[in-house]
Amino acid sequence: TDAFPLYPHDQQDGKPRFLIKGATPRNWNKYIWEPYERLQKERQEQRTSHSTATRPILTVGIDVEGNQSSPPVLVQIATADCVLLEIPSMNGSRPQLSHNLQRLLRDDSILKVFCDNYSHHDKTSLGISTDSA
């Protein structure tokens, strides 16, 4: 299975309150891209009603394990509903981040909150410039 319920005794409507899921394409779509597209559509509707909202469309938390290498050993992406776990795949002799994770990191309309310190190892291991961090 690719779902690991956290706090199984703290359920609402018979569903676990929070899930850890593998970073399969289906989970990326369900927990990142579908909510993103829904929120993006809402933002466009707000603009047509002359709203001046400038908040990010989506916010995710990102933590990295094995950040002494690039790419890292494990990337954790947290949303309000779940945590996606991504293990970079081996493509030839070098591990690579998935297309979905690369897309997420490039998208400036998604606010990314890193669990990182002044060394910026998490960001650096993901190929993110820390010049302005």
Side-chain angles (χ1 to χ4, degrees):
T1 181
D2 67 343
F4 308 93
L6 294 180
Y7 315 115
H9 302 294
D10 185 16
Q11 296 185 359
Q12 188 176 34
D13 302 328
K15 295 181 180 178
R17 184 172 166 195
F18 200 77
L19 292 176
I20 295 177
K21 295 205 166 257
T24 63
R26 185 177 124 248
N27 288 337
W28 272 101
N29 285 332
K30 182 176 181 179
Y31 294 103
I32 303 288
W33 303 126
E34 289 172 9
Y36 173 78
E37 288 169 4
R38 186 180 67 251
L39 292 168
Q40 192 173 36
K41 185 176 180 179
E42 290 173 10
R43 173 72 57 87
Q44 289 170 346
E45 291 169 0
Q46 289 175 352
R47 284 186 183 145
T48 59
S49 67
H50 306 297
S51 173
T52 58
T54 58
R55 295 181 329 194
I57 292 176
L58 183 68
T59 301
V60 298
I62 299 176
D63 187 34
V64 171
E65 304 302 329
N67 63 15
Q68 301 300 315
S69 62
S70 181
V73 176
L74 175 69
V75 182
Q76 303 159 76
I77 304 101
T79 70
D81 299 315
C82 79
V83 174
L84 296 180
L85 300 178
E86 173 161 315
I87 299 171
S89 65
M90 289 301 286
N91 187 1
S93 62
R94 182 144 170 82
Q96 292 186 335
L97 302 176
S98 72
H99 168 74
N100 282 307
L101 182 52
Q102 291 177 43
R103 177 182 168 192
L104 176 99
L105 294 172
R106 282 191 312 263
D107 194 321
D108 290 335
S109 67
I110 299 174
L111 177 63
K112 293 158 268 308
V113 179
F114 286 86
C115 183
D116 206 351
N117 64 17
Y118 64 90
S119 69
H120 304 292
H121 286 306
D122 284 5
K123 294 179 207 82
T124 303
S125 71
L126 292 170
I128 297 172
S129 171
T130 59
D131 293 337
S132 62

